[in-house]
Amino acid sequence: MHTTRSTASRWFLALTLLTIVAAALILLWMGRVPICKCGYVKLWHGVVMSSENSQHLTDWYTFSHIIHGFIFYGALWLVGRRWPVTLRLLLATLVEAGWEVFENTDMIINRYREVTISLDYYGDSVINSVADIVAMVIGFYAAIRLPVWATVLIGVALELWVGAVIRDNLTLNIIMLIWPLDAIREWQAGG
């Protein structure tokens, strides 16, 4: 029984890695740039209103992807707590990779440009999308290890901190994509 479970876990982990590779290949096929057009890769890029945002390994939006990991772990624990954690990780990775591909379609890129402060947004580089998926995986594993209260506290703290620093975060992104509000857009623009 243990060998079967161990073998299944290895398969789920392999499929998780394959999902990340497949997302990268799909993004390349879609015409996304592999790395920043600037010609180099930085570990961190902290200037939101720049052509290099979402082009390097990490940026202010990386924290949203960590929170995705928290949320996916919690949701999948609720619906499938008896499932192997590696299966739940695979499912979370499939959702995150699907979002990264969808987020980089013309439809979503144009939506960001129309209703958010991301007027110069033209999509993520492939390396940024892969790093975003990895950030979700890190958040997922952190949620496994941390007590629920700590995961919630860290998620809320990240949302508040990022919101205060860049006037954007996961919550505001979702609101502005689904139901854009002029008051939020004006606040984000510094008005």
Side-chain angles (χ1 to χ4, degrees), residues 48-49 53-54 61 99 103 107-123 166-190:
V48 175
M49 298 295 190
N53 192 50
S54 297
Y61 296 99
W99 169 248
E103 178 186 35
M107 181 181 81
I108 296 298
I109 290 170
N110 290 334
R111 180 74 175 164
Y112 272 124
R113 295 170 99 182
E114 290 168 5
V115 300
T116 71
I117 59 169
S118 304
L119 301 175
D120 294 329
Y121 180 69
Y122 58 91
I166 68 166
R167 294 181 182 234
D168 202 9
N169 58 26
L170 179 59
T171 304
L172 292 173
N173 243 294
I174 292 168
I175 291 169
M176 293 303 286
L177 277 174
I178 295 171
W179 192 273
L181 299 171
D182 288 336
I184 292 175
R185 189 181 348 207
E186 288 171 18
W187 175 76
Q188 287 181 321

mmCIF file of all heavy atoms in Angstrom, residues 48-49 53-54 61 99 103 107-123 166-190:
data_model
loop_
_atom_site.group_PDB
_atom_site.id
_atom_site.type_symbol
_atom_site.label_atom_id
_atom_site.label_comp_id
_atom_site.label_asym_id
_atom_site.label_seq_id
_atom_site.Cartn_x
_atom_site.Cartn_y
_atom_site.Cartn_z
ATOM 1 N N VAL A 48 6.229 49.048 -10.691
ATOM 2 C CA VAL A 48 4.989 48.556 -11.288
ATOM 3 C C VAL A 48 4.695 49.258 -12.608
ATOM 4 O O VAL A 48 4.354 48.628 -13.602
ATOM 5 C CB VAL A 48 3.802 48.720 -10.307
ATOM 6 C CG1 VAL A 48 2.495 48.322 -10.964
ATOM 7 C CG2 VAL A 48 4.054 47.887 -9.061
ATOM 8 N N MET A 49 4.815 50.563 -12.617
ATOM 9 C CA MET A 49 4.506 51.337 -13.827
ATOM 10 C C MET A 49 5.740 51.403 -14.724
ATOM 11 O O MET A 49 6.366 52.448 -14.872
ATOM 12 C CB MET A 49 4.053 52.746 -13.449
ATOM 13 C CG MET A 49 2.808 52.774 -12.629
ATOM 14 S SD MET A 49 1.448 52.154 -13.614
ATOM 15 C CE MET A 49 0.089 52.555 -12.574
ATOM 16 N N ASN A 53 7.696 45.481 -15.813
ATOM 17 C CA ASN A 53 6.832 44.809 -14.842
ATOM 18 C C ASN A 53 6.293 43.517 -15.451
ATOM 19 O O ASN A 53 5.951 43.480 -16.629
ATOM 20 C CB ASN A 53 5.680 45.719 -14.417
ATOM 21 C CG ASN A 53 4.955 45.164 -13.216
ATOM 22 O OD1 ASN A 53 5.578 44.807 -12.221
ATOM 23 N ND2 ASN A 53 3.653 45.060 -13.311
ATOM 24 N N SER A 54 6.255 42.462 -14.667
ATOM 25 C CA SER A 54 5.806 41.133 -15.102
ATOM 26 C C SER A 54 6.711 40.540 -16.181
ATOM 27 O O SER A 54 6.285 39.696 -16.965
ATOM 28 C CB SER A 54 4.352 41.173 -15.599
ATOM 29 O OG SER A 54 3.495 41.550 -14.556
ATOM 30 N N TYR A 61 3.546 41.442 -7.874
ATOM 31 C CA TYR A 61 2.428 40.524 -8.079
ATOM 32 C C TYR A 61 2.776 39.079 -7.708
ATOM 33 O O TYR A 61 1.890 38.242 -7.605
ATOM 34 C CB TYR A 61 1.901 40.637 -9.516
ATOM 35 C CG TYR A 61 1.335 42.009 -9.752
ATOM 36 C CD1 TYR A 61 2.082 42.987 -10.401
ATOM 37 C CD2 TYR A 61 0.080 42.350 -9.265
ATOM 38 C CE1 TYR A 61 1.577 44.268 -10.580
ATOM 39 C CE2 TYR A 61 -0.431 43.631 -9.430
ATOM 40 C CZ TYR A 61 0.325 44.581 -10.089
ATOM 41 O OH TYR A 61 -0.176 45.852 -10.251
ATOM 42 N N TRP A 99 -4.560 29.706 -15.574
ATOM 43 C CA TRP A 99 -4.720 31.151 -15.418
ATOM 44 C C TRP A 99 -3.594 31.894 -16.121
ATOM 45 O O TRP A 99 -3.824 32.905 -16.793
ATOM 46 C CB TRP A 99 -4.798 31.569 -13.951
ATOM 47 C CG TRP A 99 -4.686 33.055 -13.830
ATOM 48 C CD1 TRP A 99 -3.659 33.769 -13.287
ATOM 49 C CD2 TRP A 99 -5.617 34.037 -14.323
ATOM 50 N NE1 TRP A 99 -3.893 35.119 -13.405
ATOM 51 C CE2 TRP A 99 -5.086 35.308 -14.041
ATOM 52 C CE3 TRP A 99 -6.843 33.957 -14.974
ATOM 53 C CZ2 TRP A 99 -5.741 36.491 -14.390
ATOM 54 C CZ3 TRP A 99 -7.491 35.126 -15.328
ATOM 55 C CH2 TRP A 99 -6.944 36.375 -15.028
ATOM 56 N N GLU A 103 -4.446 34.515 -18.758
ATOM 57 C CA GLU A 103 -4.076 35.890 -18.436
ATOM 58 C C GLU A 103 -3.272 36.533 -19.566
ATOM 59 O O GLU A 103 -3.274 37.751 -19.718
ATOM 60 C CB GLU A 103 -3.255 35.911 -17.137
ATOM 61 C CG GLU A 103 -2.760 37.267 -16.717
ATOM 62 C CD GLU A 103 -1.845 37.216 -15.515
ATOM 63 O OE1 GLU A 103 -1.071 36.254 -15.370
ATOM 64 O OE2 GLU A 103 -1.904 38.170 -14.715
ATOM 65 N N MET A 107 -7.472 38.978 -24.982
ATOM 66 C CA MET A 107 -8.696 39.378 -24.296
ATOM 67 C C MET A 107 -8.408 39.891 -22.882
ATOM 68 O O MET A 107 -8.887 40.958 -22.483
ATOM 69 C CB MET A 107 -9.682 38.206 -24.237
ATOM 70 C CG MET A 107 -10.998 38.543 -23.559
ATOM 71 S SD MET A 107 -12.122 37.146 -23.487
ATOM 72 C CE MET A 107 -11.465 36.267 -22.070
ATOM 73 N N ILE A 108 -7.621 39.151 -22.114
ATOM 74 C CA ILE A 108 -7.351 39.552 -20.725
ATOM 75 C C ILE A 108 -6.353 40.705 -20.681
ATOM 76 O O ILE A 108 -6.509 41.640 -19.879
ATOM 77 C CB ILE A 108 -6.867 38.346 -19.887
ATOM 78 C CG1 ILE A 108 -7.980 37.300 -19.788
ATOM 79 C CG2 ILE A 108 -6.423 38.784 -18.500
ATOM 80 C CD1 ILE A 108 -9.255 37.781 -19.100
ATOM 81 N N ILE A 109 -5.346 40.677 -21.537
ATOM 82 C CA ILE A 109 -4.389 41.793 -21.576
ATOM 83 C C ILE A 109 -5.136 43.095 -21.865
ATOM 84 O O ILE A 109 -4.932 44.104 -21.185
ATOM 85 C CB ILE A 109 -3.290 41.534 -22.631
ATOM 86 C CG1 ILE A 109 -2.376 40.394 -22.167
ATOM 87 C CG2 ILE A 109 -2.474 42.810 -22.882
ATOM 88 C CD1 ILE A 109 -1.421 39.891 -23.229
ATOM 89 N N ASN A 110 -6.018 43.073 -22.846
ATOM 90 C CA ASN A 110 -6.791 44.274 -23.173
ATOM 91 C C ASN A 110 -7.719 44.665 -22.030
ATOM 92 O O ASN A 110 -7.920 45.855 -21.769
ATOM 93 C CB ASN A 110 -7.571 44.074 -24.469
ATOM 94 C CG ASN A 110 -6.656 44.025 -25.669
ATOM 95 O OD1 ASN A 110 -5.558 44.591 -25.657
ATOM 96 N ND2 ASN A 110 -7.073 43.322 -26.702
ATOM 97 N N ARG A 111 -8.288 43.689 -21.354
ATOM 98 C CA ARG A 111 -9.156 43.980 -20.205
ATOM 99 C C ARG A 111 -8.365 44.689 -19.107
ATOM 100 O O ARG A 111 -8.832 45.670 -18.532
ATOM 101 C CB ARG A 111 -9.780 42.683 -19.681
ATOM 102 C CG ARG A 111 -10.696 42.861 -18.501
ATOM 103 C CD ARG A 111 -12.002 43.473 -18.900
ATOM 104 N NE ARG A 111 -12.895 43.524 -17.748
ATOM 105 C CZ ARG A 111 -13.963 44.249 -17.691
ATOM 106 N NH1 ARG A 111 -14.340 44.963 -18.728
ATOM 107 N NH2 ARG A 111 -14.714 44.254 -16.614
ATOM 108 N N TYR A 112 -7.169 44.197 -18.805
ATOM 109 C CA TYR A 112 -6.317 44.862 -17.817
ATOM 110 C C TYR A 112 -6.064 46.314 -18.230
ATOM 111 O O TYR A 112 -6.135 47.226 -17.411
ATOM 112 C CB TYR A 112 -4.957 44.157 -17.688
ATOM 113 C CG TYR A 112 -4.900 43.036 -16.694
ATOM 114 C CD1 TYR A 112 -4.485 41.764 -17.075
ATOM 115 C CD2 TYR A 112 -5.212 43.233 -15.351
ATOM 116 C CE1 TYR A 112 -4.402 40.723 -16.172
ATOM 117 C CE2 TYR A 112 -5.130 42.204 -14.436
ATOM 118 C CZ TYR A 112 -4.725 40.954 -14.848
ATOM 119 O OH TYR A 112 -4.641 39.934 -13.941
ATOM 120 N N ARG A 113 -5.756 46.519 -19.501
ATOM 121 C CA ARG A 113 -5.427 47.856 -19.978
ATOM 122 C C ARG A 113 -6.641 48.785 -19.948
ATOM 123 O O ARG A 113 -6.494 49.985 -19.740
ATOM 124 C CB ARG A 113 -4.854 47.768 -21.385
ATOM 125 C CG ARG A 113 -3.524 47.034 -21.388
ATOM 126 C CD ARG A 113 -3.076 46.735 -22.764
ATOM 127 N NE ARG A 113 -2.102 47.747 -23.142
ATOM 128 C CZ ARG A 113 -1.534 47.788 -24.321
ATOM 129 N NH1 ARG A 113 -1.854 46.922 -25.240
ATOM 130 N NH2 ARG A 113 -0.663 48.720 -24.584
ATOM 131 N N GLU A 114 -7.833 48.243 -20.168
ATOM 132 C CA GLU A 114 -9.049 49.053 -20.207
ATOM 133 C C GLU A 114 -9.542 49.459 -18.824
ATOM 134 O O GLU A 114 -10.027 50.576 -18.646
ATOM 135 C CB GLU A 114 -10.179 48.283 -20.906
ATOM 136 C CG GLU A 114 -9.986 48.087 -22.383
ATOM 137 C CD GLU A 114 -10.964 47.075 -22.974
ATOM 138 O OE1 GLU A 114 -11.862 46.584 -22.246
ATOM 139 O OE2 GLU A 114 -10.816 46.759 -24.162
ATOM 140 N N VAL A 115 -9.453 48.541 -17.849
ATOM 141 C CA VAL A 115 -10.152 48.792 -16.583
ATOM 142 C C VAL A 115 -9.251 48.884 -15.360
ATOM 143 O O VAL A 115 -9.741 49.133 -14.261
ATOM 144 C CB VAL A 115 -11.241 47.713 -16.326
ATOM 145 C CG1 VAL A 115 -12.273 47.725 -17.437
ATOM 146 C CG2 VAL A 115 -10.635 46.338 -16.150
ATOM 147 N N THR A 116 -7.957 48.688 -15.520
ATOM 148 C CA THR A 116 -7.072 48.777 -14.354
ATOM 149 C C THR A 116 -6.041 49.868 -14.594
ATOM 150 O O THR A 116 -6.040 50.528 -15.631
ATOM 151 C CB THR A 116 -6.349 47.429 -14.080
ATOM 152 O OG1 THR A 116 -5.374 47.196 -15.103
ATOM 153 C CG2 THR A 116 -7.332 46.273 -14.022
ATOM 154 N N ILE A 117 -5.133 49.998 -13.637
ATOM 155 C CA ILE A 117 -4.071 50.997 -13.772
ATOM 156 C C ILE A 117 -2.960 50.514 -14.691
ATOM 157 O O ILE A 117 -2.016 51.235 -14.954
ATOM 158 C CB ILE A 117 -3.479 51.372 -12.391
ATOM 159 C CG1 ILE A 117 -2.905 50.153 -11.689
ATOM 160 C CG2 ILE A 117 -4.497 52.096 -11.557
ATOM 161 C CD1 ILE A 117 -2.069 50.479 -10.458
ATOM 162 N N SER A 118 -3.066 49.301 -15.198
ATOM 163 C CA SER A 118 -2.015 48.684 -16.012
ATOM 164 C C SER A 118 -2.134 49.099 -17.480
ATOM 165 O O SER A 118 -2.292 48.269 -18.367
ATOM 166 C CB SER A 118 -2.098 47.167 -15.888
ATOM 167 O OG SER A 118 -2.019 46.771 -14.550
ATOM 168 N N LEU A 119 -2.031 50.384 -17.738
ATOM 169 C CA LEU A 119 -2.215 50.893 -19.096
ATOM 170 C C LEU A 119 -1.149 50.391 -20.063
ATOM 171 O O LEU A 119 -1.425 50.206 -21.246
ATOM 172 C CB LEU A 119 -2.232 52.424 -19.084
ATOM 173 C CG LEU A 119 -3.320 53.066 -18.226
ATOM 174 C CD1 LEU A 119 -3.156 54.577 -18.195
ATOM 175 C CD2 LEU A 119 -4.699 52.675 -18.732
ATOM 176 N N ASP A 120 0.055 50.183 -19.565
ATOM 177 C CA ASP A 120 1.152 49.736 -20.428
ATOM 178 C C ASP A 120 1.381 48.237 -20.364
ATOM 179 O O ASP A 120 2.382 47.738 -20.862
ATOM 180 C CB ASP A 120 2.453 50.453 -20.039
ATOM 181 C CG ASP A 120 2.380 51.941 -20.323
ATOM 182 O OD1 ASP A 120 1.676 52.314 -21.283
ATOM 183 O OD2 ASP A 120 3.012 52.719 -19.595
ATOM 184 N N TYR A 121 0.469 47.509 -19.758
ATOM 185 C CA TYR A 121 0.624 46.062 -19.617
ATOM 186 C C TYR A 121 0.455 45.389 -20.976
ATOM 187 O O TYR A 121 -0.500 45.643 -21.696
ATOM 188 C CB TYR A 121 -0.407 45.515 -18.625
ATOM 189 C CG TYR A 121 -0.334 44.026 -18.415
ATOM 190 C CD1 TYR A 121 0.745 43.452 -17.763
ATOM 191 C CD2 TYR A 121 -1.342 43.189 -18.875
ATOM 192 C CE1 TYR A 121 0.814 42.089 -17.560
ATOM 193 C CE2 TYR A 121 -1.286 41.817 -18.675
ATOM 194 C CZ TYR A 121 -0.206 41.276 -18.018
ATOM 195 O OH TYR A 121 -0.140 39.926 -17.829
ATOM 196 N N TYR A 122 1.413 44.552 -21.341
ATOM 197 C CA TYR A 122 1.297 43.819 -22.595
ATOM 198 C C TYR A 122 1.528 42.323 -22.394
ATOM 199 O O TYR A 122 1.850 41.605 -23.330
ATOM 200 C CB TYR A 122 2.219 44.399 -23.667
ATOM 201 C CG TYR A 122 3.683 44.422 -23.304
ATOM 202 C CD1 TYR A 122 4.521 43.361 -23.622
ATOM 203 C CD2 TYR A 122 4.232 45.517 -22.648
ATOM 204 C CE1 TYR A 122 5.856 43.380 -23.285
ATOM 205 C CE2 TYR A 122 5.572 45.543 -22.309
ATOM 206 C CZ TYR A 122 6.380 44.476 -22.641
ATOM 207 O OH TYR A 122 7.704 44.496 -22.302
ATOM 208 N N GLY A 123 1.334 41.855 -21.184
ATOM 209 C CA GLY A 123 1.468 40.435 -20.886
ATOM 210 C C GLY A 123 2.758 40.120 -20.158
ATOM 211 O O GLY A 123 3.652 40.950 -20.054
ATOM 212 N N ILE A 166 1.788 49.600 -3.498
ATOM 213 C CA ILE A 166 1.605 49.820 -4.949
ATOM 214 C C ILE A 166 0.161 50.152 -5.339
ATOM 215 O O ILE A 166 -0.142 50.281 -6.524
ATOM 216 C CB ILE A 166 2.111 48.627 -5.785
ATOM 217 C CG1 ILE A 166 1.243 47.376 -5.586
ATOM 218 C CG2 ILE A 166 3.573 48.355 -5.505
ATOM 219 C CD1 ILE A 166 1.494 46.289 -6.615
ATOM 220 N N ARG A 167 -0.724 50.243 -4.350
ATOM 221 C CA ARG A 167 -2.148 50.534 -4.613
ATOM 222 C C ARG A 167 -2.787 49.487 -5.530
ATOM 223 O O ARG A 167 -3.648 49.805 -6.352
ATOM 224 C CB ARG A 167 -2.325 51.933 -5.201
ATOM 225 C CG ARG A 167 -1.948 53.038 -4.251
ATOM 226 C CD ARG A 167 -2.165 54.389 -4.865
ATOM 227 N NE ARG A 167 -1.758 55.414 -3.936
ATOM 228 C CZ ARG A 167 -2.527 56.414 -3.542
ATOM 229 N NH1 ARG A 167 -3.746 56.522 -4.000
ATOM 230 N NH2 ARG A 167 -2.080 57.304 -2.696
ATOM 231 N N ASP A 168 -2.355 48.271 -5.377
ATOM 232 C CA ASP A 168 -2.924 47.151 -6.124
ATOM 233 C C ASP A 168 -2.599 45.886 -5.342
ATOM 234 O O ASP A 168 -1.639 45.846 -4.576
ATOM 235 C CB ASP A 168 -2.326 47.085 -7.538
ATOM 236 C CG ASP A 168 -3.209 46.322 -8.513
ATOM 237 O OD1 ASP A 168 -4.362 45.983 -8.164
ATOM 238 O OD2 ASP A 168 -2.747 46.067 -9.643
ATOM 239 N N ASN A 169 -3.413 44.870 -5.517
ATOM 240 C CA ASN A 169 -3.178 43.578 -4.895
ATOM 241 C C ASN A 169 -4.144 42.576 -5.522
ATOM 242 O O ASN A 169 -4.874 42.914 -6.460
ATOM 243 C CB ASN A 169 -3.308 43.641 -3.364
ATOM 244 C CG ASN A 169 -4.664 44.140 -2.901
ATOM 245 O OD1 ASN A 169 -5.672 44.011 -3.593
ATOM 246 N ND2 ASN A 169 -4.694 44.712 -1.701
ATOM 247 N N LEU A 170 -4.169 41.362 -5.017
ATOM 248 C CA LEU A 170 -5.023 40.324 -5.575
ATOM 249 C C LEU A 170 -6.502 40.720 -5.515
ATOM 250 O O LEU A 170 -7.226 40.605 -6.504
ATOM 251 C CB LEU A 170 -4.795 38.997 -4.836
ATOM 252 C CG LEU A 170 -5.642 37.805 -5.279
ATOM 253 C CD1 LEU A 170 -5.414 37.489 -6.756
ATOM 254 C CD2 LEU A 170 -5.333 36.591 -4.410
ATOM 255 N N THR A 171 -6.939 41.215 -4.375
ATOM 256 C CA THR A 171 -8.344 41.591 -4.208
ATOM 257 C C THR A 171 -8.745 42.679 -5.194
ATOM 258 O O THR A 171 -9.771 42.568 -5.879
ATOM 259 C CB THR A 171 -8.600 42.062 -2.766
ATOM 260 O OG1 THR A 171 -8.196 41.036 -1.858
ATOM 261 C CG2 THR A 171 -10.063 42.404 -2.544
ATOM 262 N N LEU A 172 -7.932 43.723 -5.297
ATOM 263 C CA LEU A 172 -8.250 44.828 -6.210
ATOM 264 C C LEU A 172 -8.200 44.365 -7.671
ATOM 265 O O LEU A 172 -9.010 44.808 -8.491
ATOM 266 C CB LEU A 172 -7.301 45.996 -5.981
ATOM 267 C CG LEU A 172 -7.469 46.707 -4.634
ATOM 268 C CD1 LEU A 172 -6.369 47.731 -4.425
ATOM 269 C CD2 LEU A 172 -8.842 47.347 -4.528
ATOM 270 N N ASN A 173 -7.262 43.486 -7.986
ATOM 271 C CA ASN A 173 -7.175 42.936 -9.339
ATOM 272 C C ASN A 173 -8.463 42.216 -9.718
ATOM 273 O O ASN A 173 -8.985 42.403 -10.819
ATOM 274 C CB ASN A 173 -6.001 41.951 -9.412
ATOM 275 C CG ASN A 173 -4.952 42.394 -10.374
ATOM 276 O OD1 ASN A 173 -5.200 42.445 -11.572
ATOM 277 N ND2 ASN A 173 -3.785 42.698 -9.852
ATOM 278 N N ILE A 174 -8.957 41.392 -8.818
ATOM 279 C CA ILE A 174 -10.184 40.634 -9.087
ATOM 280 C C ILE A 174 -11.368 41.589 -9.250
ATOM 281 O O ILE A 174 -12.145 41.472 -10.201
ATOM 282 C CB ILE A 174 -10.444 39.600 -7.970
ATOM 283 C CG1 ILE A 174 -9.382 38.496 -8.009
ATOM 284 C CG2 ILE A 174 -11.849 38.996 -8.102
ATOM 285 C CD1 ILE A 174 -9.374 37.593 -6.784
ATOM 286 N N ILE A 175 -11.488 42.541 -8.332
ATOM 287 C CA ILE A 175 -12.595 43.506 -8.415
ATOM 288 C C ILE A 175 -12.542 44.249 -9.745
ATOM 289 O O ILE A 175 -13.552 44.356 -10.446
ATOM 290 C CB ILE A 175 -12.555 44.506 -7.238
ATOM 291 C CG1 ILE A 175 -12.896 43.796 -5.931
ATOM 292 C CG2 ILE A 175 -13.519 45.681 -7.481
ATOM 293 C CD1 ILE A 175 -12.622 44.635 -4.684
ATOM 294 N N MET A 176 -11.372 44.748 -10.109
ATOM 295 C CA MET A 176 -11.265 45.577 -11.307
ATOM 296 C C MET A 176 -11.459 44.770 -12.595
ATOM 297 O O MET A 176 -11.906 45.316 -13.594
ATOM 298 C CB MET A 176 -9.934 46.320 -11.315
ATOM 299 C CG MET A 176 -9.840 47.359 -10.207
ATOM 300 S SD MET A 176 -11.163 48.604 -10.252
ATOM 301 C CE MET A 176 -10.630 49.582 -11.634
ATOM 302 N N LEU A 177 -11.118 43.497 -12.567
ATOM 303 C CA LEU A 177 -11.354 42.676 -13.764
ATOM 304 C C LEU A 177 -12.828 42.333 -13.927
ATOM 305 O O LEU A 177 -13.346 42.291 -15.036
ATOM 306 C CB LEU A 177 -10.525 41.389 -13.708
ATOM 307 C CG LEU A 177 -9.086 41.522 -14.165
ATOM 308 C CD1 LEU A 177 -8.326 40.220 -13.913
ATOM 309 C CD2 LEU A 177 -8.978 41.920 -15.618
ATOM 310 N N ILE A 178 -13.499 42.077 -12.793
ATOM 311 C CA ILE A 178 -14.892 41.635 -12.850
ATOM 312 C C ILE A 178 -15.864 42.818 -12.852
ATOM 313 O O ILE A 178 -16.815 42.850 -13.639
ATOM 314 C CB ILE A 178 -15.205 40.687 -11.675
ATOM 315 C CG1 ILE A 178 -14.380 39.405 -11.815
ATOM 316 C CG2 ILE A 178 -16.694 40.364 -11.607
ATOM 317 C CD1 ILE A 178 -14.439 38.499 -10.607
ATOM 318 N N TRP A 179 -15.670 43.774 -11.968
ATOM 319 C CA TRP A 179 -16.595 44.888 -11.802
ATOM 320 C C TRP A 179 -15.784 46.163 -11.569
ATOM 321 O O TRP A 179 -15.624 46.620 -10.428
ATOM 322 C CB TRP A 179 -17.504 44.617 -10.599
ATOM 323 C CG TRP A 179 -18.664 45.534 -10.502
ATOM 324 C CD1 TRP A 179 -18.688 46.769 -9.892
ATOM 325 C CD2 TRP A 179 -19.967 45.334 -11.028
ATOM 326 N NE1 TRP A 179 -19.915 47.325 -9.995
ATOM 327 C CE2 TRP A 179 -20.743 46.467 -10.695
ATOM 328 C CE3 TRP A 179 -20.574 44.310 -11.748
ATOM 329 C CZ2 TRP A 179 -22.065 46.597 -11.050
ATOM 330 C CZ3 TRP A 179 -21.894 44.441 -12.089
ATOM 331 C CH2 TRP A 179 -22.628 45.572 -11.744
ATOM 332 N N PRO A 180 -15.243 46.758 -12.618
ATOM 333 C CA PRO A 180 -14.379 47.930 -12.458
ATOM 334 C C PRO A 180 -15.105 49.098 -11.784
ATOM 335 O O PRO A 180 -16.250 49.401 -12.128
ATOM 336 C CB PRO A 180 -14.004 48.308 -13.896
ATOM 337 C CG PRO A 180 -14.414 47.173 -14.746
ATOM 338 C CD PRO A 180 -15.439 46.390 -14.004
ATOM 339 N N LEU A 181 -14.442 49.698 -10.841
ATOM 340 C CA LEU A 181 -15.005 50.835 -10.119
ATOM 341 C C LEU A 181 -14.113 52.064 -10.326
ATOM 342 O O LEU A 181 -12.898 51.990 -10.101
ATOM 343 C CB LEU A 181 -15.115 50.524 -8.627
ATOM 344 C CG LEU A 181 -16.014 49.337 -8.248
ATOM 345 C CD1 LEU A 181 -15.870 49.003 -6.779
ATOM 346 C CD2 LEU A 181 -17.468 49.653 -8.596
ATOM 347 N N ASP A 182 -14.723 53.165 -10.722
ATOM 348 C CA ASP A 182 -13.959 54.393 -10.952
ATOM 349 C C ASP A 182 -13.236 54.856 -9.691
ATOM 350 O O ASP A 182 -12.118 55.350 -9.763
ATOM 351 C CB ASP A 182 -14.875 55.503 -11.473
ATOM 352 C CG ASP A 182 -15.321 55.257 -12.903
ATOM 353 O OD1 ASP A 182 -14.618 54.529 -13.642
ATOM 354 O OD2 ASP A 182 -16.383 55.785 -13.292
ATOM 355 N N ALA A 183 -13.871 54.684 -8.548
ATOM 356 C CA ALA A 183 -13.256 55.121 -7.289
ATOM 357 C C ALA A 183 -11.941 54.383 -7.036
ATOM 358 O O ALA A 183 -10.952 54.997 -6.607
ATOM 359 C CB ALA A 183 -14.221 54.906 -6.129
ATOM 360 N N ILE A 184 -11.922 53.082 -7.309
ATOM 361 C CA ILE A 184 -10.684 52.317 -7.121
ATOM 362 C C ILE A 184 -9.643 52.755 -8.145
ATOM 363 O O ILE A 184 -8.474 52.967 -7.811
ATOM 364 C CB ILE A 184 -10.944 50.797 -7.218
ATOM 365 C CG1 ILE A 184 -11.786 50.328 -6.029
ATOM 366 C CG2 ILE A 184 -9.626 50.028 -7.280
ATOM 367 C CD1 ILE A 184 -12.198 48.865 -6.088
ATOM 368 N N ARG A 185 -10.042 52.922 -9.394
ATOM 369 C CA ARG A 185 -9.105 53.325 -10.442
ATOM 370 C C ARG A 185 -8.485 54.692 -10.102
ATOM 371 O O ARG A 185 -7.284 54.887 -10.261
ATOM 372 C CB ARG A 185 -9.779 53.365 -11.793
ATOM 373 C CG ARG A 185 -8.805 53.565 -12.930
ATOM 374 C CD ARG A 185 -9.415 53.624 -14.276
ATOM 375 N NE ARG A 185 -10.796 53.202 -14.302
ATOM 376 C CZ ARG A 185 -11.398 52.684 -15.341
ATOM 377 N NH1 ARG A 185 -10.733 52.508 -16.451
ATOM 378 N NH2 ARG A 185 -12.670 52.344 -15.312
ATOM 379 N N GLU A 186 -9.297 55.619 -9.615
ATOM 380 C CA GLU A 186 -8.783 56.942 -9.242
ATOM 381 C C GLU A 186 -7.809 56.838 -8.074
ATOM 382 O O GLU A 186 -6.768 57.492 -8.070
ATOM 383 C CB GLU A 186 -9.949 57.880 -8.899
ATOM 384 C CG GLU A 186 -10.739 58.300 -10.110
ATOM 385 C CD GLU A 186 -12.017 59.054 -9.751
ATOM 386 O OE1 GLU A 186 -12.120 59.549 -8.600
ATOM 387 O OE2 GLU A 186 -12.903 59.122 -10.623
ATOM 388 N N TRP A 187 -8.160 56.029 -7.070
ATOM 389 C CA TRP A 187 -7.256 55.831 -5.934
ATOM 390 C C TRP A 187 -5.949 55.199 -6.388
ATOM 391 O O TRP A 187 -4.869 55.616 -5.978
ATOM 392 C CB TRP A 187 -7.932 54.976 -4.868
ATOM 393 C CG TRP A 187 -7.018 54.649 -3.728
ATOM 394 C CD1 TRP A 187 -6.637 55.499 -2.723
ATOM 395 C CD2 TRP A 187 -6.334 53.420 -3.491
ATOM 396 N NE1 TRP A 187 -5.769 54.853 -1.866
ATOM 397 C CE2 TRP A 187 -5.565 53.577 -2.321
ATOM 398 C CE3 TRP A 187 -6.301 52.192 -4.155
ATOM 399 C CZ2 TRP A 187 -4.781 52.557 -1.803
ATOM 400 C CZ3 TRP A 187 -5.511 51.182 -3.632
ATOM 401 C CH2 TRP A 187 -4.764 51.374 -2.481
ATOM 402 N N GLN A 188 -6.052 54.192 -7.278
ATOM 403 C CA GLN A 188 -4.845 53.530 -7.770
ATOM 404 C C GLN A 188 -3.955 54.501 -8.564
ATOM 405 O O GLN A 188 -2.754 54.374 -8.552
ATOM 406 C CB GLN A 188 -5.215 52.327 -8.637
ATOM 407 C CG GLN A 188 -5.740 51.177 -7.834
ATOM 408 C CD GLN A 188 -6.093 49.974 -8.695
ATOM 409 O OE1 GLN A 188 -6.630 50.105 -9.785
ATOM 410 N NE2 GLN A 188 -5.756 48.796 -8.201
ATOM 411 N N ALA A 189 -4.590 55.420 -9.259
ATOM 412 C CA ALA A 189 -3.822 56.409 -10.041
ATOM 413 C C ALA A 189 -3.223 57.499 -9.161
ATOM 414 O O ALA A 189 -2.497 58.362 -9.638
ATOM 415 C CB ALA A 189 -4.721 57.018 -11.107
ATOM 416 N N GLY A 190 -3.540 57.446 -7.856
ATOM 417 C CA GLY A 190 -2.976 58.415 -6.920
ATOM 418 C C GLY A 190 -3.845 59.628 -6.732
ATOM 419 O O GLY A 190 -3.429 60.598 -6.119
#
